[in-house]
């Protein structure tokens, strides 16, 4: 498997300005589920999927976690490797990571703890048919 | 005088993972 990147971009930093697809600007810590849903609705070609966390494991790469999701209506299995501080947006809950303490330390972004069963927002390409 | 500062603006979709299952051929 490819070596995962340890670099997390600054858009997760508290105070980062995020532009929604509607043109509205919001701070990353103020985003709500509806902001993502509405943005996907007005975006051409992108759709929001519900991605349920089914397992959280240690990665073979030190300093990473291996997350397993089932994605969308098809319940497709997708796995990704991320640093434990990587935030995911959980429906109805908000930003969540495997290590809320590290996320707070590195990004000052308040987070819940990401757990098996959490339903995260992800995107994929809209089907053409 | 206040110097103008550029503020980075990030698109919403950069915050959420792109989780697309690999398509079978």
């Amino acid at each position: 498997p490819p070596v995962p990147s340890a670099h997390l971009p600054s858009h997760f930093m508290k105070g980062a300005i995020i532009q929604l697809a509607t043109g509205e600007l919001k701070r990353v810590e103020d985003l709500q589920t509806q902001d993502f849903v509405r943005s996907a609705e007005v975006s051409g070609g992108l759709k929001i999927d519900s991605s349920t966390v089914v397992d959280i494991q240690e990665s073979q790469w030190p300093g990473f976690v291996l997350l397993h999701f089932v994605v969308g209506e098809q319940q497709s299995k997708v796995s990704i490797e991320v640093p434990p501080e990587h935030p995911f947006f959980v429906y109805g809950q908000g930003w969540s990571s495997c290590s809320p303490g590290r996320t707070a330390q590195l990004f000052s972004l308040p987070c819940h703890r990401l757990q098996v069963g959490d339903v995260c927002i992800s995107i994929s390409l809209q089907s053409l048919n | 005088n206040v110097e103008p500062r550029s503020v980075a603006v990030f698109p919403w979709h950069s915050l959420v993972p792109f989780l697309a299952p690999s398509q079978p051929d």
Side-chain angles (χ1 to χ4, degrees), chain A:
Chain A
V3 180
S5 168
H7 175 71
L8 272 189
S10 56
H11 52 229
F12 288 122
M13 195 71 73
K14 185 181 179 185
I17 306 295
I18 307 301
Q19 184 165 39
L20 306 181
T22 55
E24 188 184 353
L25 299 177
K26 278 197 161 188
R27 294 185 193 281
V28 64
E29 65 272 21
D30 295 333
L31 290 172
Q32 297 181 339
T33 302
Q34 199 56 30
D35 294 322
F36 293 100
V37 173
R38 199 175 302 126
S39 284
E41 282 170 0
V42 302
S43 293
L46 290 178
K47 70 169 173 133
I48 292 276
D49 278 324
S50 301
S51 297
T52 305
V53 180
V54 291
D55 199 12
I56 300 173
Q57 297 175 320
E58 279 185 34
S59 165
Q60 61 170 312
W61 305 102
F64 287 84
V65 289
L66 177 59
L67 298 177
H68 299 277
F69 293 94
V70 290
V71 180
E73 293 173 359
Q74 305 295 323
Q75 297 284 284
S76 312
K77 292 177 182 172
V78 178
S79 301
I80 58 172
E81 292 182 285
V82 293
E85 63 271 18
H86 191 298
F88 293 86
F89 201 92
V90 173
Y91 276 92
Q93 175 172 285
W95 293 113
S96 307
S97 77
C98 294
S99 178
R102 273 187 66 80
T103 310
Q105 197 178 10
L106 293 171
F107 302 115
S108 302
L109 183 69
C111 265
H112 298 266
R113 182 173 296 280
L114 187 68
Q115 293 176 318
V116 169
D118 283 348
V119 182
C120 300
I121 288 177
S122 67
I123 50 174
S124 62
L125 290 177
Q126 202 153 31
S127 173
L128 293 175
N129 51 26

